[in-house]
């Protein structure tokens, strides 16, 4: 099935993993993230979008699909991407996102500790 992305301008174009990689690569600049990891992220994004079972998806939804895997891959790159994608406009926006990241990490480590007990 051909997957199309509807941009904000209304223009429709075919989904491109390469375009996902290029967008995420900018956020990962200077971070210890290799091309294989970026390719895997793009594959996960495509799989999650295809799982929705729709032929067309708004570009905004592609960005949302990137956030989760990128957060797992590299938190600094995630913050960079999220700050642009979500149009952070203040230090408070960053502080809130960092607090959410810390909470998620604490919850994750708490779950892992409980599973090991």
């Amino acid at each position: 099935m051909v997957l199309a992305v509807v941009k904000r301008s209304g223009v429709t174009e075919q989904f491109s993993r390469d375009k996902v990689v290029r967008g995420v690569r900018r956020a990962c600049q200077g971070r210890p993230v290799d091309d294989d990891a970026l390719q895997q992220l793009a594959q996960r994004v495509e799989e999650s979008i295809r799982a929705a079972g729709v032929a067309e998806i708004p570009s905004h939804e592609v960005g949302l699909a990137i956030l989760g895997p990128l957060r797992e891959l590299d938190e600094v790159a995630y913050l960079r991407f999220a700050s642009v994608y979500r149009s952070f406009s203040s230090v408070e926006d960053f502080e809130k996102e960092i607090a959410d990241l810390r909470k998620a990490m604490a919850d994750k480590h708490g779950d892992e500790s409980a599973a090991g007990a």
Side-chain angles (χ1 to χ4, degrees):
M1 172 175 82
V2 174
L3 182 61
V5 177
V6 181
K7 302 178 79 106
R8 279 180 265 179
S9 65
V11 173
T12 301
E13 63 182 45
Q14 188 170 340
F15 175 84
S16 167
R17 278 191 202 173
D18 289 338
K19 200 164 185 178
V20 170
V21 169
R22 283 194 306 272
V24 173
R25 182 175 283 132
R26 283 190 295 257
C28 293
Q29 202 164 13
R31 301 295 305 155
V33 176
D34 62 24
D35 276 346
D36 285 343
L38 293 177
Q39 292 296 333
Q40 289 173 4
L41 181 143
Q43 181 175 345
R44 285 181 62 193
V45 168
E46 182 175 2
E47 288 170 357
S48 72
I49 291 170
R50 287 191 182 280
V54 295
E56 289 187 352
I57 187 163
S59 59
H60 177 76
E61 295 293 324
V62 176
L64 288 175
I66 290 170
L67 287 172
L70 183 56
R71 184 170 160 171
E72 293 172 19
L73 180 64
D74 187 278
E75 292 168 344
V76 171
Y78 165 80
L79 280 172
R80 290 174 178 170
F81 188 88
S83 71
V84 172
Y85 180 72
R86 293 185 174 153
S87 303
F88 286 9
S89 60
S90 67
V91 171
E92 289 78 18
D93 292 338
F94 281 94
E95 289 172 339
K96 181 188 177 314
E97 197 65 41
I98 290 168
D100 290 347
L101 272 172
R102 286 186 173 142
K103 182 181 181 326
M105 283 176 36
D107 290 349
K108 180 180 177 182
H109 292 302
D111 290 347
E112 289 172 359
S113 297

